[in-house]
Amino acid sequence: MTNALTKTNAAARGPGPRFARLARRGLAVCMLACVGLGAAHAQSHGRRDDMQVQPPPSARGERFAPPQIDQREQRGYDQMRDQQREQQRAMEDQQRRQMQQEQNGRDGRRDGRLTPDERRDLRRQINEVGADIYPNARRR
């Protein structure tokens, strides 16, 4: 009886640990196979961006000849560009002025407490309006 309690390696040699080890190894092999197949598939098919064929450059190394623009056309383009820049500057100046006006309008209003004189005037105005709305009823 004492021999059975001290010798526990008999239970460790059963089919359970061997099957668990086999299952773990099989799972690892399947995972590696899936990763390898995925990498091979991606490499063989490539991406859509890579599939676009680039046209070969010309023999002189230039793809396109620069367009020839005469002086009159160039001046016209320059004038149009200058006008667009002036319009853009004018719009920016107008927006800047509007922002400053809004900011000045906000600065005119003070945040915080009223002075005692302002409180007194406000109280008087409220009482005047209240007297107009609720006149004293005639006594009978």
Side-chain angles (χ1 to χ4, degrees):
M1 185 101 183
T2 59
N3 195 14
L5 294 176
T6 58
K7 297 210 175 193
T8 57
N9 60 357
R13 288 189 178 167
R18 270 191 262 157
F19 179 71
R21 188 178 320 127
L22 179 66
R24 276 184 274 158
R25 287 182 181 168
L27 181 64
V29 168
C30 287
M31 288 178 61
L32 287 173
C34 289
V35 169
L37 286 174
H41 180 73
Q43 187 177 13
S44 67
H45 291 293
R47 294 176 34 192
R48 288 184 182 175
D49 298 340
D50 297 338
M51 297 295 285
Q52 295 177 353
V53 176
Q54 299 294 328
S58 65
R60 288 184 287 163
E62 296 178 4
R63 295 180 93 178
F64 301 105
Q68 298 295 326
I69 300 174
D70 65 355
Q71 294 293 331
R72 285 178 281 160
E73 289 183 40
Q74 185 65 35
R75 276 189 237 126
Y77 290 138
D78 291 342
Q79 288 176 353
M80 285 177 37
R81 192 175 342 122
D82 291 342
Q83 287 176 354
Q84 288 176 350
R85 286 180 184 165
E86 288 176 20
Q87 289 175 354
Q88 187 175 5
R89 283 187 198 126
M91 288 179 61
E92 289 173 358
D93 289 341
Q94 184 180 5
Q95 288 176 350
R96 192 176 305 117
R97 275 189 255 118
Q98 286 178 351
M99 294 284 286
Q100 287 176 352
Q101 288 175 354
E102 289 175 6
Q103 192 173 19
N104 291 340
R106 276 188 255 128
D107 292 343
R109 279 185 268 135
R110 296 183 322 181
D111 294 333
R113 295 183 170 206
L114 297 174
T115 64
D117 292 334
E118 291 171 338
R119 282 198 304 268
R120 196 176 307 118
D121 289 339
L122 183 61
R123 198 176 306 119
R124 181 184 50 78
Q125 291 170 2
I126 291 171
N127 288 338
E128 287 176 1
V129 171
D132 292 341
I133 293 175
Y134 303 109
N136 289 337
R138 285 190 299 166
R139 293 189 179 194
R140 295 184 191 174

